[in-house]
Amino acid sequence: MKFGKGFKKHMVPEWTDAYMDYNGLKRLLQDIRQFKQSMQPPTPIRASQHRLAMHRAFSGLNLQASNLQNQGDIEDQVIAVNTTQRDGSRKLYKTKFLMQYEEGGEKEVTFFNKLDDELNKVSTFYKNKVEEALNEAATLNKQMGALIALRIKVEKPDFDDSSSLKRLSMDIDGTVPIRISSSSTDITPGTEHVDLTLGVNKDGSCQDACTAPDVITVITTDSSSVCGEERDLSFNKEEIRKVEERLKLVFIEFYRKLHLLKHYSFMNLSAFSKIMKKYDKISSRSASRSYMTIVDKSYLGSSDEVTGLLERVEATFIEHFSNSNRREGMKSLRPKLRREKHCITFFSGFFSGCSIALLVAVVLLMVSRKLMDKEEATSYMENIFPLYSLYVYIALHMLLYALNIYFWRRYRINYPFIFGFKQGTELGSQEVFLLSNGLAVLALSTFLAHLHLKMDLRTRDYGTYTELIPLVLLTVVLVITFCPFNILYRSSRLFLIHHLFRCVCAPLYKVTLPDFFLADQLSSQIPAIRSFEFYICYYGLGEFSQRRNKCHSHDVYNVFYFIVAVIPYWIRFLQCLRRLFEEKDVSHGYNSLRYLMTIVAVVIRSTFELRKGTSWMVLAVVSSVVATAMNTYWDIIIDWGLLQRQSRNFCLRDKLSVSHKSVYFAAMVLDILLRFAWLQSVLYFNFGSLHGKTVSSIISCLEILRRGMWNFFRLENEHLNNVGRYRAFKSVPLPFNYYDADIDKDD
């Protein structure tokens, strides 16, 4: 793989703009190369010069090496790099090209100006991130001190914390590493067992954030005091366990940040070295050694704070969170990346082929037996088709999600970070594709068996048992979904169940992106949710034994027919209210009004489906048009961030992941068209011989297709927002809060 492709592939997606513009510098070198080639003599003259040079080289007449030794290093005659100070500490580099008056020298001046800008940009970004890391390290040092104090308080309740714990808090912020002996109740520097050095430099001096002789009072997130002198609260081991789990996550995320910073430095240093070698080759000069000396002396090349922090974090994590087991500790800090398995590829293809074959078999069986021409076709479509359409909606949604993952990865959209997946547990496109095809095979095989048994005269006497096949299928799917054993991607299943529970309990929990993203998916799966309701009615009320569908004759079913359609939008409405009160952002209030209007439209449209009538049709059309217009505006303007007036990309946005702009315009047009697919449920367009249930299922599938398209652009916009803020790490709340006792006295 060429370096340019590898360089782009291994970038931290959210830091893309902070990396050296390797391709931009290559383009400048291409301009220099083209100019050099245009200034060379014609081909015959070049050939003769080449033969003469070869003759001199082999005859010993070429004294270039000895001349270079006598004349000195020619690099000093190519460039001169000057260093200037900004804001007292920031170093800026400016290269002077000493041969700028040669023919074509202005192109090389442009190259070195661009190179200096990239070096200054990369060094400044790296230094800012390292300073943030040092501040975080000082904070983690205090957190570890608080955890030690909490452990002592729980393990030794009679321990006199008025003096020793006070000294502990001072030592944690001081210059001496804290060592706590497991055999003594006294806390003294220099004994065994615990060594906290995150806030201490190698030479024993204290960092900027740990200068305190201030006494720190530590409180937990539930306002419980750990080593404060004003309260005497009791703690138990369960509280310690929760604190340790929280701190463990903080350390893992901090270690990941340090590791990416180290990789950022290495990749940029490699890029500078590579581009300078290309310059030497193209320009036939020798400037790389001189410039790389400056790069190595810059903060990017000379700083070793990140390496030191990595070593200290590893030592602290292994000591306190892995029982001194280095192997287990490093497994947590550096989880193995999920690798693509050949068996996944094989079974994906196998199940996809089986699902296609089963689908063809179902169609051929229905055509050969002329099922749709019989009187039983209507009752079959009314009774059985809704039971199996559930799996059509779910399998289609999963297929689109697999397609989303494929394109997210292709366009370097960091979906695991956005969704908050634990590193190494996120599913790839092939795994999701496998699951969707597996579900399709399971559903199609049972549907084919049910259809065959239904039409076979020899099994007519067992019709009641035949009707139980869809219920058995649903039971199997639910058992697999909620299976507690570590099979079939348990971490992903638990992640889905966890956020589904948070959606149901809205607005009791703080709303995160996976919560409202999942709720949006549910809003496109209303027919599937209604299929669950139909299962309950068809089997719970005994309708299956009589092989009839009179669910709409039950008032309770009709009431829940409305409630089920409203639930996803109601969840989003409550989530928007929760975010409005927490974040004080008016846009969430507007978003909640949008979902409230959608709820009104859905209720009126559902009423029209049950009661018909011209007045209900007019109300359904008016309310749905208003709701659809609001939803379409929100999709394109807010969720996708398109149609920006002053964007450098006409009617789009400044940053685009997809290079073909026509894709965005096509997506906007499709979103508008698919948003108005609900017109079929009101105006009842004539589609020939297609059954009404079939038409409604097609409309539902179109909505799922629209949601799949929405998913890609919604996450792309979120990713680009993270890129604009260089936000590549999730923030884990710290278990302890701090405040200065001296400040409180002054207040």
Side-chain angles (χ1 to χ4, degrees), residues 454-478:
K454 188 79 173 177
M455 293 170 24
D456 194 342
L457 296 176
R458 294 172 296 180
T459 59
R460 289 290 180 92
D461 296 336
Y462 304 98
T464 302
Y465 298 103
T466 303
E467 297 296 319
L468 291 175
I469 293 179
L471 182 62
V472 173
L473 174 61
L474 179 64
T475 304
V476 171
V477 172
L478 291 178

PDB file of all heavy atoms in Angstrom, residues 454-478:
ATOM      1  N   LYS A 454     -50.926 -25.707   4.780  1.00  0.00           N
ATOM      2  CA  LYS A 454     -52.235 -25.078   4.626  1.00  0.00           C
ATOM      3  C   LYS A 454     -52.941 -25.582   3.372  1.00  0.00           C
ATOM      4  O   LYS A 454     -54.176 -25.732   3.358  1.00  0.00           O
ATOM      5  CB  LYS A 454     -52.039 -23.560   4.548  1.00  0.00           C
ATOM      6  CG  LYS A 454     -53.322 -22.752   4.589  1.00  0.00           C
ATOM      7  CD  LYS A 454     -53.845 -22.616   5.995  1.00  0.00           C
ATOM      8  CE  LYS A 454     -55.029 -21.667   6.064  1.00  0.00           C
ATOM      9  NZ  LYS A 454     -55.588 -21.587   7.422  1.00  0.00           N
ATOM     10  N   MET A 455     -52.186 -25.855   2.335  1.00  0.00           N
ATOM     11  CA  MET A 455     -52.785 -26.233   1.059  1.00  0.00           C
ATOM     12  C   MET A 455     -52.877 -27.744   0.878  1.00  0.00           C
ATOM     13  O   MET A 455     -53.533 -28.210  -0.060  1.00  0.00           O
ATOM     14  CB  MET A 455     -51.960 -25.634  -0.089  1.00  0.00           C
ATOM     15  CG  MET A 455     -52.057 -24.129  -0.125  1.00  0.00           C
ATOM     16  SD  MET A 455     -50.902 -23.297  -1.243  1.00  0.00           S
ATOM     17  CE  MET A 455     -50.509 -24.517  -2.416  1.00  0.00           C
ATOM     18  N   ASP A 456     -52.224 -28.503   1.739  1.00  0.00           N
ATOM     19  CA  ASP A 456     -52.251 -29.960   1.615  1.00  0.00           C
ATOM     20  C   ASP A 456     -53.531 -30.503   2.246  1.00  0.00           C
ATOM     21  O   ASP A 456     -53.816 -30.251   3.423  1.00  0.00           O
ATOM     22  CB  ASP A 456     -51.018 -30.561   2.296  1.00  0.00           C
ATOM     23  CG  ASP A 456     -50.807 -32.015   1.907  1.00  0.00           C
ATOM     24  OD1 ASP A 456     -51.763 -32.648   1.405  1.00  0.00           O
ATOM     25  OD2 ASP A 456     -49.687 -32.507   2.114  1.00  0.00           O
ATOM     26  N   LEU A 457     -54.294 -31.273   1.476  1.00  0.00           N
ATOM     27  CA  LEU A 457     -55.559 -31.810   1.981  1.00  0.00           C
ATOM     28  C   LEU A 457     -55.350 -32.804   3.113  1.00  0.00           C
ATOM     29  O   LEU A 457     -56.226 -32.966   3.969  1.00  0.00           O
ATOM     30  CB  LEU A 457     -56.315 -32.493   0.828  1.00  0.00           C
ATOM     31  CG  LEU A 457     -56.755 -31.570  -0.318  1.00  0.00           C
ATOM     32  CD1 LEU A 457     -57.404 -32.392  -1.420  1.00  0.00           C
ATOM     33  CD2 LEU A 457     -57.708 -30.499   0.187  1.00  0.00           C
ATOM     34  N   ARG A 458     -54.197 -33.464   3.131  1.00  0.00           N
ATOM     35  CA  ARG A 458     -53.955 -34.472   4.169  1.00  0.00           C
ATOM     36  C   ARG A 458     -53.715 -33.855   5.535  1.00  0.00           C
ATOM     37  O   ARG A 458     -53.774 -34.551   6.552  1.00  0.00           O
ATOM     38  CB  ARG A 458     -52.748 -35.329   3.774  1.00  0.00           C
ATOM     39  CG  ARG A 458     -52.984 -36.187   2.516  1.00  0.00           C
ATOM     40  CD  ARG A 458     -51.707 -36.852   2.077  1.00  0.00           C
ATOM     41  NE  ARG A 458     -50.705 -35.863   1.671  1.00  0.00           N
ATOM     42  CZ  ARG A 458     -49.491 -36.174   1.239  1.00  0.00           C
ATOM     43  NH1 ARG A 458     -49.112 -37.445   1.163  1.00  0.00           N
ATOM     44  NH2 ARG A 458     -48.655 -35.221   0.870  1.00  0.00           N
ATOM     45  N   THR A 459     -53.406 -32.564   5.584  1.00  0.00           N
ATOM     46  CA  THR A 459     -53.128 -31.915   6.878  1.00  0.00           C
ATOM     47  C   THR A 459     -54.239 -30.961   7.293  1.00  0.00           C
ATOM     48  O   THR A 459     -54.050 -30.171   8.220  1.00  0.00           O
ATOM     49  CB  THR A 459     -51.795 -31.146   6.784  1.00  0.00           C
ATOM     50  OG1 THR A 459     -51.905 -30.174   5.737  1.00  0.00           O
ATOM     51  CG2 THR A 459     -50.637 -32.097   6.500  1.00  0.00           C
ATOM     52  N   ARG A 460     -55.360 -31.014   6.634  1.00  0.00           N
ATOM     53  CA  ARG A 460     -56.459 -30.107   6.991  1.00  0.00           C
ATOM     54  C   ARG A 460     -56.946 -30.349   8.418  1.00  0.00           C
ATOM     55  O   ARG A 460     -57.389 -29.426   9.095  1.00  0.00           O
ATOM     56  CB  ARG A 460     -57.617 -30.278   6.007  1.00  0.00           C
ATOM     57  CG  ARG A 460     -57.319 -29.732   4.615  1.00  0.00           C
ATOM     58  CD  ARG A 460     -57.270 -28.221   4.642  1.00  0.00           C
ATOM     59  NE  ARG A 460     -56.993 -27.663   3.330  1.00  0.00           N
ATOM     60  CZ  ARG A 460     -57.945 -27.311   2.461  1.00  0.00           C
ATOM     61  NH1 ARG A 460     -59.222 -27.502   2.754  1.00  0.00           N
ATOM     62  NH2 ARG A 460     -57.603 -26.796   1.291  1.00  0.00           N
ATOM     63  N   ASP A 461     -56.884 -31.603   8.866  1.00  0.00           N
ATOM     64  CA  ASP A 461     -57.367 -31.917  10.215  1.00  0.00           C
ATOM     65  C   ASP A 461     -56.461 -31.336  11.304  1.00  0.00           C
ATOM     66  O   ASP A 461     -56.848 -31.288  12.467  1.00  0.00           O
ATOM     67  CB  ASP A 461     -57.475 -33.435  10.387  1.00  0.00           C
ATOM     68  CG  ASP A 461     -58.511 -34.041   9.445  1.00  0.00           C
ATOM     69  OD1 ASP A 461     -59.426 -33.296   9.031  1.00  0.00           O
ATOM     70  OD2 ASP A 461     -58.389 -35.236   9.131  1.00  0.00           O
ATOM     71  N   TYR A 462     -55.268 -30.957  10.927  1.00  0.00           N
ATOM     72  CA  TYR A 462     -54.315 -30.402  11.900  1.00  0.00           C
ATOM     73  C   TYR A 462     -54.152 -28.895  11.700  1.00  0.00           C
ATOM     74  O   TYR A 462     -53.096 -28.323  11.971  1.00  0.00           O
ATOM     75  CB  TYR A 462     -52.954 -31.089  11.758  1.00  0.00           C
ATOM     76  CG  TYR A 462     -53.028 -32.592  11.906  1.00  0.00           C
ATOM     77  CD1 TYR A 462     -53.065 -33.413  10.783  1.00  0.00           C
ATOM     78  CD2 TYR A 462     -53.060 -33.180  13.164  1.00  0.00           C
ATOM     79  CE1 TYR A 462     -53.140 -34.796  10.905  1.00  0.00           C
ATOM     80  CE2 TYR A 462     -53.129 -34.558  13.300  1.00  0.00           C
ATOM     81  CZ  TYR A 462     -53.170 -35.367  12.168  1.00  0.00           C
ATOM     82  OH  TYR A 462     -53.251 -36.732  12.302  1.00  0.00           O
ATOM     83  N   GLY A 463     -55.229 -28.264  11.210  1.00  0.00           N
ATOM     84  CA  GLY A 463     -55.162 -26.839  10.908  1.00  0.00           C
ATOM     85  C   GLY A 463     -54.847 -25.979  12.109  1.00  0.00           C
ATOM     86  O   GLY A 463     -54.144 -24.969  12.008  1.00  0.00           O
ATOM     87  N   THR A 464     -55.344 -26.383  13.296  1.00  0.00           N
ATOM     88  CA  THR A 464     -55.082 -25.589  14.508  1.00  0.00           C
ATOM     89  C   THR A 464     -53.598 -25.577  14.844  1.00  0.00           C
ATOM     90  O   THR A 464     -53.034 -24.546  15.213  1.00  0.00           O
ATOM     91  CB  THR A 464     -55.877 -26.153  15.687  1.00  0.00           C
ATOM     92  OG1 THR A 464     -57.267 -26.146  15.354  1.00  0.00           O
ATOM     93  CG2 THR A 464     -55.647 -25.320  16.942  1.00  0.00           C
ATOM     94  N   TYR A 465     -52.952 -26.731  14.707  1.00  0.00           N
ATOM     95  CA  TYR A 465     -51.521 -26.808  14.988  1.00  0.00           C
ATOM     96  C   TYR A 465     -50.710 -26.067  13.923  1.00  0.00           C
ATOM     97  O   TYR A 465     -49.651 -25.499  14.211  1.00  0.00           O
ATOM     98  CB  TYR A 465     -51.078 -28.268  15.065  1.00  0.00           C
ATOM     99  CG  TYR A 465     -51.758 -29.028  16.176  1.00  0.00           C
ATOM    100  CD1 TYR A 465     -52.810 -29.903  15.897  1.00  0.00           C
ATOM    101  CD2 TYR A 465     -51.366 -28.863  17.495  1.00  0.00           C
ATOM    102  CE1 TYR A 465     -53.442 -30.601  16.909  1.00  0.00           C
ATOM    103  CE2 TYR A 465     -51.994 -29.554  18.524  1.00  0.00           C
ATOM    104  CZ  TYR A 465     -53.037 -30.416  18.227  1.00  0.00           C
ATOM    105  OH  TYR A 465     -53.670 -31.084  19.235  1.00  0.00           O
ATOM    106  N   THR A 466     -51.220 -26.104  12.707  1.00  0.00           N
ATOM    107  CA  THR A 466     -50.537 -25.368  11.639  1.00  0.00           C
ATOM    108  C   THR A 466     -50.506 -23.881  11.931  1.00  0.00           C
ATOM    109  O   THR A 466     -49.505 -23.198  11.643  1.00  0.00           O
ATOM    110  CB  THR A 466     -51.237 -25.622  10.297  1.00  0.00           C
ATOM    111  OG1 THR A 466     -51.261 -27.026  10.032  1.00  0.00           O
ATOM    112  CG2 THR A 466     -50.519 -24.905   9.169  1.00  0.00           C
ATOM    113  N   GLU A 467     -51.594 -23.384  12.508  1.00  0.00           N
ATOM    114  CA  GLU A 467     -51.661 -21.956  12.811  1.00  0.00           C
ATOM    115  C   GLU A 467     -50.682 -21.541  13.908  1.00  0.00           C
ATOM    116  O   GLU A 467     -50.418 -20.354  14.093  1.00  0.00           O
ATOM    117  CB  GLU A 467     -53.086 -21.579  13.243  1.00  0.00           C
ATOM    118  CG  GLU A 467     -54.140 -21.774  12.174  1.00  0.00           C
ATOM    119  CD  GLU A 467     -53.918 -20.886  10.979  1.00  0.00           C
ATOM    120  OE1 GLU A 467     -53.555 -19.713  11.176  1.00  0.00           O
ATOM    121  OE2 GLU A 467     -54.083 -21.358   9.843  1.00  0.00           O
ATOM    122  N   LEU A 468     -50.152 -22.509  14.643  1.00  0.00           N
ATOM    123  CA  LEU A 468     -49.218 -22.191  15.727  1.00  0.00           C
ATOM    124  C   LEU A 468     -47.784 -22.002  15.238  1.00  0.00           C
ATOM    125  O   LEU A 468     -46.918 -21.583  16.014  1.00  0.00           O
ATOM    126  CB  LEU A 468     -49.247 -23.307  16.784  1.00  0.00           C
ATOM    127  CG  LEU A 468     -50.538 -23.422  17.608  1.00  0.00           C
ATOM    128  CD1 LEU A 468     -50.462 -24.631  18.518  1.00  0.00           C
ATOM    129  CD2 LEU A 468     -50.774 -22.158  18.422  1.00  0.00           C
ATOM    130  N   ILE A 469     -47.521 -22.299  13.970  1.00  0.00           N
ATOM    131  CA  ILE A 469     -46.148 -22.175  13.452  1.00  0.00           C
ATOM    132  C   ILE A 469     -45.614 -20.744  13.576  1.00  0.00           C
ATOM    133  O   ILE A 469     -44.470 -20.549  14.020  1.00  0.00           O
ATOM    134  CB  ILE A 469     -46.092 -22.670  11.989  1.00  0.00           C
ATOM    135  CG1 ILE A 469     -46.341 -24.175  11.942  1.00  0.00           C
ATOM    136  CG2 ILE A 469     -44.750 -22.333  11.359  1.00  0.00           C
ATOM    137  CD1 ILE A 469     -46.336 -24.751  10.545  1.00  0.00           C
ATOM    138  N   PRO A 470     -46.386 -19.699  13.203  1.00  0.00           N
ATOM    139  CA  PRO A 470     -45.853 -18.329  13.385  1.00  0.00           C
ATOM    140  C   PRO A 470     -45.551 -17.993  14.839  1.00  0.00           C
ATOM    141  O   PRO A 470     -44.577 -17.279  15.125  1.00  0.00           O
ATOM    142  CB  PRO A 470     -46.974 -17.442  12.829  1.00  0.00           C
ATOM    143  CG  PRO A 470     -47.729 -18.318  11.899  1.00  0.00           C
ATOM    144  CD  PRO A 470     -47.685 -19.684  12.506  1.00  0.00           C
ATOM    145  N   LEU A 471     -46.361 -18.523  15.765  1.00  0.00           N
ATOM    146  CA  LEU A 471     -46.110 -18.256  17.183  1.00  0.00           C
ATOM    147  C   LEU A 471     -44.821 -18.921  17.642  1.00  0.00           C
ATOM    148  O   LEU A 471     -44.054 -18.329  18.427  1.00  0.00           O
ATOM    149  CB  LEU A 471     -47.292 -18.758  18.018  1.00  0.00           C
ATOM    150  CG  LEU A 471     -47.196 -18.511  19.528  1.00  0.00           C
ATOM    151  CD1 LEU A 471     -47.136 -17.017  19.821  1.00  0.00           C
ATOM    152  CD2 LEU A 471     -48.379 -19.159  20.257  1.00  0.00           C
ATOM    153  N   VAL A 472     -44.567 -20.137  17.155  1.00  0.00           N
ATOM    154  CA  VAL A 472     -43.314 -20.820  17.497  1.00  0.00           C
ATOM    155  C   VAL A 472     -42.122 -20.024  16.957  1.00  0.00           C
ATOM    156  O   VAL A 472     -41.104 -19.861  17.640  1.00  0.00           O
ATOM    157  CB  VAL A 472     -43.319 -22.252  16.929  1.00  0.00           C
ATOM    158  CG1 VAL A 472     -41.953 -22.914  17.134  1.00  0.00           C
ATOM    159  CG2 VAL A 472     -44.412 -23.078  17.592  1.00  0.00           C
ATOM    160  N   LEU A 473     -42.258 -19.523  15.740  1.00  0.00           N
ATOM    161  CA  LEU A 473     -41.180 -18.713  15.152  1.00  0.00           C
ATOM    162  C   LEU A 473     -40.911 -17.473  15.989  1.00  0.00           C
ATOM    163  O   LEU A 473     -39.748 -17.136  16.260  1.00  0.00           O
ATOM    164  CB  LEU A 473     -41.556 -18.326  13.725  1.00  0.00           C
ATOM    165  CG  LEU A 473     -40.603 -17.358  13.005  1.00  0.00           C
ATOM    166  CD1 LEU A 473     -39.212 -17.960  12.880  1.00  0.00           C
ATOM    167  CD2 LEU A 473     -41.151 -16.986  11.630  1.00  0.00           C
ATOM    168  N   LEU A 474     -41.959 -16.775  16.400  1.00  0.00           N
ATOM    169  CA  LEU A 474     -41.786 -15.576  17.224  1.00  0.00           C
ATOM    170  C   LEU A 474     -41.118 -15.915  18.547  1.00  0.00           C
ATOM    171  O   LEU A 474     -40.244 -15.178  19.028  1.00  0.00           O
ATOM    172  CB  LEU A 474     -43.141 -14.912  17.464  1.00  0.00           C
ATOM    173  CG  LEU A 474     -43.127 -13.649  18.333  1.00  0.00           C
ATOM    174  CD1 LEU A 474     -42.331 -12.544  17.652  1.00  0.00           C
ATOM    175  CD2 LEU A 474     -44.548 -13.178  18.627  1.00  0.00           C
ATOM    176  N   THR A 475     -41.505 -17.045  19.142  1.00  0.00           N
ATOM    177  CA  THR A 475     -40.903 -17.466  20.412  1.00  0.00           C
ATOM    178  C   THR A 475     -39.416 -17.720  20.258  1.00  0.00           C
ATOM    179  O   THR A 475     -38.601 -17.309  21.097  1.00  0.00           O
ATOM    180  CB  THR A 475     -41.601 -18.733  20.930  1.00  0.00           C
ATOM    181  OG1 THR A 475     -43.006 -18.490  21.054  1.00  0.00           O
ATOM    182  CG2 THR A 475     -41.041 -19.143  22.279  1.00  0.00           C
ATOM    183  N   VAL A 476     -39.036 -18.385  19.166  1.00  0.00           N
ATOM    184  CA  VAL A 476     -37.619 -18.666  18.922  1.00  0.00           C
ATOM    185  C   VAL A 476     -36.832 -17.371  18.764  1.00  0.00           C
ATOM    186  O   VAL A 476     -35.739 -17.215  19.333  1.00  0.00           O
ATOM    187  CB  VAL A 476     -37.467 -19.550  17.667  1.00  0.00           C
ATOM    188  CG1 VAL A 476     -36.001 -19.666  17.262  1.00  0.00           C
ATOM    189  CG2 VAL A 476     -38.054 -20.928  17.913  1.00  0.00           C
ATOM    190  N   VAL A 477     -37.373 -16.415  18.014  1.00  0.00           N
ATOM    191  CA  VAL A 477     -36.682 -15.138  17.795  1.00  0.00           C
ATOM    192  C   VAL A 477     -36.514 -14.382  19.111  1.00  0.00           C
ATOM    193  O   VAL A 477     -35.436 -13.833  19.402  1.00  0.00           O
ATOM    194  CB  VAL A 477     -37.441 -14.286  16.762  1.00  0.00           C
ATOM    195  CG1 VAL A 477     -36.848 -12.881  16.681  1.00  0.00           C
ATOM    196  CG2 VAL A 477     -37.415 -14.946  15.398  1.00  0.00           C
ATOM    197  N   LEU A 478     -37.560 -14.361  19.948  1.00  0.00           N
ATOM    198  CA  LEU A 478     -37.473 -13.652  21.223  1.00  0.00           C
ATOM    199  C   LEU A 478     -36.500 -14.339  22.177  1.00  0.00           C
ATOM    200  O   LEU A 478     -35.760 -13.662  22.909  1.00  0.00           O
ATOM    201  CB  LEU A 478     -38.861 -13.563  21.861  1.00  0.00           C
ATOM    202  CG  LEU A 478     -39.870 -12.650  21.150  1.00  0.00           C
ATOM    203  CD1 LEU A 478     -41.223 -12.696  21.854  1.00  0.00           C
ATOM    204  CD2 LEU A 478     -39.365 -11.215  21.100  1.00  0.00           C
TER     205      LEU A 478
END
